Amino acid sequence: MSSTLTNPPRRELQSFLDFPICTDIDQLDGHIGILGIPYGDPYSIDEVTNDQTNAPTWVRRYTERALRQLERWDFDIGGPLLGGKDIKVVDCGDVKANPRDLDLHYRNAEAVVRAMLAKGMLPIIIGGDHGIPIPVLRAYDDQGPITLVHIDAHLDWRDHVNGARGGYSSPIRRAAEMDHVGQIFQIGLRSAGSARPEEVEAAQAYGAVLIPDVELQDVGMKAVLDRIPDGGRYYLTIDADGMDPTIMPAVNGPAPGGVTYPQIRTLIHGLVKKGRVVGMDIVEITPKKDVNGITAITAGRIICNLIGKTIQAGYFDAK
C-alpha cells in the first residue's frame, strides 16, 4: 500500500497550453509565438491600466479548457493540434510597460514582433485593447502587401480621441496609412460605436470593404470569404465585441448579433487555404465580465484553429 494519500495542489497553466516560455528575444526559436500585449494608448488616466490588461493572463488560464491535451483529437481541425509534426510553439510572455513612458510598450511590442518575424515565426497576439495592432502591424513593413481582415462591431477609423492617435478607436485608420497594408476587409459591423459619417466616408474613400453584420448573416461567411482575393498575405485582427456576445460576453461594448464560432472557424480555415496568414490578434477581452470563462475558452479555440490549420497546410514544413 502506498504511503502517499494526497495529491499535489492543482496547478494553473501559466503559459498558453503550457508551451515553453521565452522572454529573451535574442533567444527566440520556434515556429509559432504567443505574445501578450496588455496595454494600449490611453484616452484618459483611468485607461492607463484597465481590466483588459488582464486578458492575456485570463486567456492562458483557460486554455486547458480550450484543449485538454496536445495529443487529443480536435474535431474542429480534424486531428491533434500539432498533427504529429515537430512544431515548436513558444509563449513569449507579455510586453513590458512603463507608467512614466506611455509609448514605451508600443515600441517594445513592435520590437518583439519584428524579432519574431525575423526568426520566421507566426505571431499570435493576445491584447489588451484594440490599439495594439498598430505597433504590431508596423513591424510588418517588410512583409507587404498585407491584406487586413478585421472582425469588429465597430469601424475603428477615428483619427484621434482626446489627442491620442494610437488608441482603440483608430487601429484601422492607422493601418490604412501604412504603405505595406493593402486591401482591408471589415466584417461584422453593427450597432453604433465611435464612428461618425466622416469616418465611414474615410473608410469608403480608402476602398475598405465594409461588411455589416446584417449582410454577413444574410449571405454567410463562405460568401464573404469568396470576396477576399486568393494568394494574399493576411493579417487577422479580432475585436472580441465583433463576436456573438453569447460566446464572448466579456467585452465593454456588447451588441446583439455578431460573428459566430462556426463563422470565425470558416474564416480562419479559408484564409489559411487561400494564401498565407502572417499573424493574428484577439483583443478587447474584459475578464471581470466573463461568464464561466466562455470568452477565454472561445479565444483559445480561435487560436487553436489557426495553429492547427497552419500546421496542416504545411506552413512550417521547410523550417
Side-chain angles (χ1 to χ4, degrees):
M1 177 179 174
S2 172
S3 62
T4 302
L5 300 180
T6 63
N7 291 319
R10 293 180 179 177
R11 181 179 64 88
E12 288 189 338
L13 297 187
Q14 180 183 11
S15 67
F16 190 89
L17 288 175
D18 215 19
F19 287 126
I21 298 170
C22 179
T23 58
D24 184 343
I25 62 172
D26 293 330
Q27 300 299 319
L28 283 177
D29 179 32
H31 302 90
I32 299 169
I34 309 294
L35 177 66
I37 307 181
Y39 305 99
D41 188 3
Y43 294 146
S44 68
I45 192 64
D46 294 330
E47 290 183 331
V48 172
T49 181
N50 55 44
D51 194 36
Q52 291 175 354
T53 64
N54 298 314
T57 298
W58 186 250
V59 172
R60 290 181 178 110
R61 181 176 297 164
Y62 276 90
T63 51
E64 192 176 18
R65 294 306 311 168
L67 180 67
R68 294 290 291 171
Q69 298 289 338
L70 291 178
E71 75 275 5
R72 303 288 178 90
W73 189 274
D74 189 323
F75 283 92
D76 287 346
I77 62 175
L81 183 70
L82 304 183
K85 296 183 179 181
D86 185 19
I87 299 294
K88 186 174 182 180
V89 184
V90 177
D91 193 318
C92 302
D94 293 344
V95 171
K96 291 182 179 180
N98 185 332
R100 292 170 181 80
D101 183 353
L102 294 182
D103 294 326
L104 178 63
H105 58 278
Y106 269 21
R107 300 195 300 273
N108 288 343
E110 181 180 342
V112 176
V113 175
R114 283 189 184 277
M116 296 168 75
L117 293 172
K119 297 292 182 70
M121 300 175 74
L122 172 66
I124 299 177
I125 313 298
I126 307 172
D129 68 37
H130 212 161
I132 63 99
I134 297 172
V136 171
L137 285 169
R138 287 174 183 154
Y140 284 80
D141 58 3
D142 62 349
Q143 303 278 323
I146 302 294
T147 298
L148 181 60
V149 181
H150 173 217
I151 302 295
D152 206 326
H154 309 116
L155 190 65
D156 290 356
W157 272 79
R158 289 291 292 269
D159 187 41
H160 69 87
V161 176
N162 295 340
R165 302 183 76 248
Y168 55 80
S169 293
S170 303
I172 310 306
R173 184 71 165 251
R174 297 288 85 82
E177 296 166 350
M178 299 180 192
D179 291 340
H180 57 285
V181 173
Q183 290 184 291
I184 298 175
F185 293 82
Q186 300 185 247
I187 304 169
L189 302 166
R190 63 193 191 282
S191 188
S194 65
R196 302 160 299 185
E198 52 261 44
E199 279 81 48
V200 177
E201 291 167 4
Q204 292 171 333
Y206 178 86
V209 179
L210 309 184
I211 303 170
D213 189 59
V214 171
E215 180 180 351
L216 170 64
Q217 303 310 331
D218 280 347
V219 303
M221 187 60 83
K222 287 185 178 179
V224 171
L225 191 61
D226 287 342
R227 298 178 64 180
I228 301 174
D230 293 345
R233 294 172 60 78
Y234 312 111
Y235 184 92
L236 177 61
T237 180
I238 303 172
D239 188 319
D241 67 35
M243 301 293 294
D244 180 348
T246 64
I247 58 170
M248 278 200 159
V251 298
N252 280 337
V259 178
T260 66
Y261 179 72
Q263 288 173 338
I264 196 69
R265 184 176 59 201
T266 294
L267 178 65
I268 290 171
H269 294 195
L271 290 175
V272 169
K273 291 179 181 177
K274 269 180 172 292
R276 191 171 187 93
V277 177
V278 297
M280 183 184 83
D281 65 64
I282 184 160
V283 300
E284 300 276 356
I285 292 172
T286 308
K288 288 181 180 178
K289 297 184 177 183
D290 211 352
V291 179
N292 201 26
I294 187 62
T295 304
I297 294 167
T298 301
R301 289 302 311 153
I302 288 171
I303 293 170
C304 285
N305 272 271
L306 181 63
I307 291 174
K309 281 305 186 182
T310 54
I311 292 171
Q312 287 180 2
Y315 276 28
F316 315 108
D317 289 355
K319 186 177 179 182

